[in-house]
Amino acid sequence: MMKRGLFFSFFVGTASAMAVIAVLCFWLVPHGGAIAVALIATIVIAGAAWNAQWMVRSVHRDIATIENAVRSIPESTDSTSGSYRDFNDLHRMVSAKSELVRRTLAEAGESRSELEAMIDSMQDAVVAVDQSGRIRWSNRCMQRLIPEASSRGAVRVGHALVQTIRDPDVLHCVKIALEERTIAERRSTSLTPGRIFEVSASPMPDGGAVAVLHDITRIEQVERIQRDFVANVSHEMRTPLTSITGYVETLLDHEKRLSAQAREFLGTILKNATRMNRLTEDLLAMARAESAEQEMHPVLIRADVLVREAVQSMRGMVQDADAVLEIEETTEAEVIADTDAIVQVLNHLIENGIKYGMARNAERGRVVVSAREVTEPRVGIEFRVRDYGQGIASEHLSRIFERFYRVDKARSRESGGTGLGLAIAHRVVEAHGGVIWAESELNAGTTFIVVLPKAGMKQ
């Protein structure tokens, strides 16, 4: 509409001037009126020039009005006020877009305010940095935490994070998130004296990173109290349980006048006392395995030596259960491990295989132990303990390393199991930087696999 109006006005003005000049030239030139023609042509051209100048000024006024409307973005512009002739459509479009931009910015501002309020209300400390490691923003918890942690002042936008936080674990996590573009997690114990933080840093799409510091001091204290309580109670129970077991065994072995019913009762007492004694021993072992203060004594030892020691220490149980315990392939490759701890792990796995690894219609259970070097799923020494029993259903495999979890509760209690053996094995293997898992097929047996780092490998 605007272009059509401009072209129409210019065409009419120019055509009119040219028509007048042509008529005058046709009538006056033959009669010797060349001077008059020139004078009239000059007047007509001057009139056309004035008309063109008037049009230009009008266009300039309309453009200035539209420029004012554009400058008002994101403020609202009333599209119904004023008349801009050829620029009415443009003015309405600019006004509509102005209103759209205003609403969009208002909504973005509200979303940002809500997000900032949510982050400020978090109990965790949060800080974001740009690609160069300079602070972009932080929440109130972080702003309160840093003055408590150091004397360098509050968190300031634009300052380098390394100038505000000197904790190596926090800075290392942020560095990994910035450079490797992956999530990094660590524990920090030096940011604030007496407090423990779980630090998690994640990369952001724009190249920066955000770090979250979660205070787990109370959780660690509660867990430590629980471990200490379990350890103390288990330790105190050992003496009375030993006395009960000793007295009952003495009565059964030397008291000949006991009735059959009395012997049955004493046998039940002895069985349960023995089971409670095993439970206290496993609870103590579990408390030591979960404690960060557990002392490991790693040494350089060959894998085949570990296998032979574990098998030798289980000979008594194998004879009592009338089972078969075999050593398959082994390797002389070395690992750095606490010998007693890893032998205990293998013992738990072998005991598990002897108790639950007897196949249907089989006269004797069979357990096979082996060791070999592997490169997948990770490089190291792989220890395998396999039985040929009924196997474990797939829905249980992900939970069998939990404390007190039993696949068959009735059978486990009948066999004297405490439900802690596999949990202890899992903790000990993790403390060595290894992994443990189980593979099983119903009615075909179960294989427990332990992979430890090979000697000389970086853990």
Side-chain angles (χ1 to χ4, degrees), residues 382-400:
E382 179 186 86
F383 298 86
R384 284 177 170 256
V385 179
R386 180 182 181 185
D387 65 61
Y388 297 85
Q390 299 178 13
I392 302 173
S394 58
E395 62 266 22
H396 298 295
L397 288 177
S398 61
R399 300 193 60 191
I400 57 176

Side-chain angles (χ1 to χ4, degrees), residues 134-329:
R134 295 188 175 276
I135 297 173
R136 295 174 55 182
W137 52 262
S138 61
N139 67 345
R140 293 178 183 174
C141 184
M142 174 63 75
Q143 294 166 6
R144 291 194 302 266
L145 175 64
I146 296 306
E148 295 177 5
S150 66
S151 59
R152 288 182 291 274
V155 181
R156 292 186 175 87
V157 175
H159 283 207
L161 184 66
V162 69
Q163 295 176 351
T164 306
I165 300 177
R166 298 294 176 87
D167 185 82
D169 298 306
V170 176
L171 297 177
H172 182 73
C173 283
V174 173
K175 181 179 179 181
I176 291 177
L178 288 175
E179 296 180 356
E180 301 181 12
R181 312 304 297 163
T182 58
I183 298 176
E185 296 179 348
R186 277 202 171 191
R187 286 165 56 94
S188 170
T189 57
S190 59
L191 181 63
T192 302
R195 297 175 69 178
I196 304 172
F197 293 90
E198 276 187 351
V199 184
S200 175
S202 304
M204 293 194 297
D206 61 355
V210 59
V212 180
L213 283 67
H214 178 54
D215 191 344
I216 59 171
T217 307
R218 295 282 296 178
I219 298 175
E220 290 286 331
Q221 290 175 348
V222 171
E223 290 182 351
R224 184 169 61 252
I225 292 172
Q226 289 178 343
R227 287 195 300 268
D228 293 344
F229 174 77
V230 170
N232 292 333
V233 170
S234 300
H235 181 74
E236 293 299 325
M237 289 177 63
R238 296 172 71 180
T239 300
L241 286 173
T242 302
S243 298
I244 293 171
T245 302
Y247 282 124
V248 171
E249 288 178 344
T250 301
L251 287 174
L252 290 174
D253 292 341
H254 301 287
E255 186 59 49
K256 305 298 182 183
R257 293 174 296 177
L258 291 174
S259 64
Q261 188 176 27
R263 287 187 175 276
E264 181 182 354
F265 289 162
L266 289 172
T268 302
I269 293 173
L270 179 61
K271 179 180 178 181
N272 285 279
T274 303
R275 182 174 179 274
M276 288 186 66
N277 199 22
R278 286 174 53 84
L279 179 59
T280 57
E281 295 293 337
D282 285 350
L283 285 172
L284 285 171
M286 190 70 190
R288 288 193 298 268
E290 289 185 336
S291 175
E293 300 174 358
Q294 181 186 15
E295 292 186 6
M296 290 284 183
H297 304 284
V299 295
L300 201 62
I301 186 169
R302 286 173 17 193
D304 58 339
V305 173
L306 286 172
V307 171
R308 284 199 299 269
E309 288 192 12
V311 170
Q312 184 62 34
S313 63
M314 296 299 293
R315 290 297 182 189
M317 183 177 183
V318 171
Q319 292 177 359
D320 294 340
D322 193 23
V324 177
L325 180 58
E326 301 175 353
I327 297 177
E328 210 170 52
E329 64 172 321

Side-chain angles (χ1 to χ4, degrees), residues 25-198:
C25 288
F26 179 77
W27 183 74
L28 294 174
V29 168
H31 299 82
I35 297 176
V37 171
L39 180 60
I40 294 172
T42 301
I43 294 172
V44 172
I45 293 174
W50 180 86
N51 183 49
Q53 186 176 7
W54 177 84
M55 289 178 57
V56 169
R57 289 178 179 177
S58 177
V59 170
H60 283 171
R61 284 196 301 271
D62 289 349
I63 291 177
T65 304
I66 293 174
E67 286 178 348
N68 292 331
V70 174
R71 289 192 189 99
S72 68
I73 295 175
E75 297 177 359
S76 176
T77 302
D78 186 4
S79 60
T80 61
S81 62
S83 177
Y84 306 106
R85 292 173 293 280
D86 296 323
F87 294 94
N88 283 341
D89 290 343
L90 178 59
H91 179 262
R92 283 193 293 270
M93 287 188 291
V94 171
S95 299
K97 294 301 180 182
S98 172
E99 180 64 21
L100 177 62
V101 171
R102 187 191 65 79
R103 288 199 304 267
T104 302
L105 291 179
E107 293 173 358
E110 292 177 359
S111 299
R112 180 183 178 86
S113 299
E114 292 176 0
L115 180 60
E116 289 178 349
M118 290 175 58
I119 295 177
D120 279 337
S121 65
M122 290 177 59
Q123 298 299 315
D124 299 334
V126 183
V127 60
V129 298
D130 58 19
Q131 296 178 355
S132 60
R134 295 188 175 276
I135 297 173
R136 295 174 55 182
W137 52 262
S138 61
N139 67 345
R140 293 178 183 174
C141 184
M142 174 63 75
Q143 294 166 6
R144 291 194 302 266
L145 175 64
I146 296 306
E148 295 177 5
S150 66
S151 59
R152 288 182 291 274
V155 181
R156 292 186 175 87
V157 175
H159 283 207
L161 184 66
V162 69
Q163 295 176 351
T164 306
I165 300 177
R166 298 294 176 87
D167 185 82
D169 298 306
V170 176
L171 297 177
H172 182 73
C173 283
V174 173
K175 181 179 179 181
I176 291 177
L178 288 175
E179 296 180 356
E180 301 181 12
R181 312 304 297 163
T182 58
I183 298 176
E185 296 179 348
R186 277 202 171 191
R187 286 165 56 94
S188 170
T189 57
S190 59
L191 181 63
T192 302
R195 297 175 69 178
I196 304 172
F197 293 90
E198 276 187 351

